[in-house]
Amino acid sequence: MSLFVLVSRIKNNYLYLQLCIRIAEYGIERKVSTYGDVYSYGIQLLEMFTGKRPTNDMFHDRWNLHNYAKMSLPDSVVEVVDPILLREVEETSVDASSNKSDIGIQKILQCLTSIIKIGVSCCVELPRERMEISNVVTELHRIRDILIRTRRR
């Protein structure tokens, strides 16, 4: 598929602009950088946890998946997280006692907030301001450990 065909299939101008920026990131310095990969990883993380794609009809002009997730931080993450994930959290907590359940839900929501923060940090505009992938891995391991401890209670 040629670049022209790819570009012609992109739904809106902002996505086209983002594609051009990503291509430029790889070409300007004439060396491959992991910053583009970090950006892609951040977008995938946001896609998984919000249930939204960057090509969703709700995104247009300067409104995109990154801004959608960023505006929810830190207190409104529940509004952008995929409702299927939230339903699973609620169903899992029904089995536990009320007090343990509330604590567990709070921990899970804190973890979801942390994951959204990571996704947003990975896809900021300027490549050198993006989160380092080693820090991403460290944070995700920390979140996993919190979730495992929460489940054991």
Side-chain angles (χ1 to χ4, degrees), residues 3-145:
L3 183 58
F4 176 75
V5 173
L6 178 64
V7 169
S8 68
R9 291 185 179 175
I10 295 178
K11 286 181 164 181
N12 70 45
N13 292 334
Y14 188 73
L15 287 178
Y16 172 71
L17 177 63
Q18 291 299 308
L19 176 64
C20 291
I21 289 169
R22 299 307 150 240
I23 290 170
E25 282 180 22
Y26 287 112
I28 288 175
E29 296 181 16
R30 299 200 190 278
K31 60 182 178 180
V32 177
S33 165
T34 58
Y35 293 115
D37 297 333
V38 170
Y39 179 88
S40 298
Y41 184 76
I43 291 295
Q44 288 180 334
L45 205 56
L46 294 177
E47 278 187 78
M48 286 189 299
F49 283 88
T50 65
K52 304 270 189 252
R53 304 189 87 181
T55 55
N56 189 301
D57 289 336
M58 72 183 287
F59 303 127
H60 50 82
D61 299 325
R62 303 246 351 131
W63 186 244
N64 58 28
L65 182 59
H66 175 262
N67 294 337
Y68 173 71
K70 185 177 179 180
M71 68 90 187
S72 74
L73 294 172
D75 300 321
S76 302
V77 170
V78 171
E79 294 177 25
V80 299
V81 169
D82 190 339
I84 293 171
L85 289 175
L86 295 176
R87 187 171 49 231
E88 289 180 14
V89 169
E90 290 172 0
E91 289 172 0
T92 303
S93 65
V94 167
D95 298 334
S97 71
S98 165
N99 190 27
K100 286 184 181 178
S101 175
D102 290 342
I103 293 169
I105 288 174
Q106 287 303 101
K107 286 287 185 188
I108 291 170
L109 291 177
Q110 288 172 356
C111 289
L112 287 171
T113 300
S114 296
I115 290 168
I116 297 296
K117 281 181 184 175
I118 292 168
V120 167
S121 296
C122 287
C123 41
V124 295
E125 284 294 320
L126 297 175
R128 300 220 184 263
E129 290 181 6
R130 294 180 190 147
M131 193 171 192
E132 295 286 332
I133 197 65
S134 59
N135 294 339
V136 170
V137 171
T138 301
E139 279 299 299
L140 290 175
H141 278 112
R142 184 186 65 76
I143 293 166
R144 180 202 59 195
D145 293 344

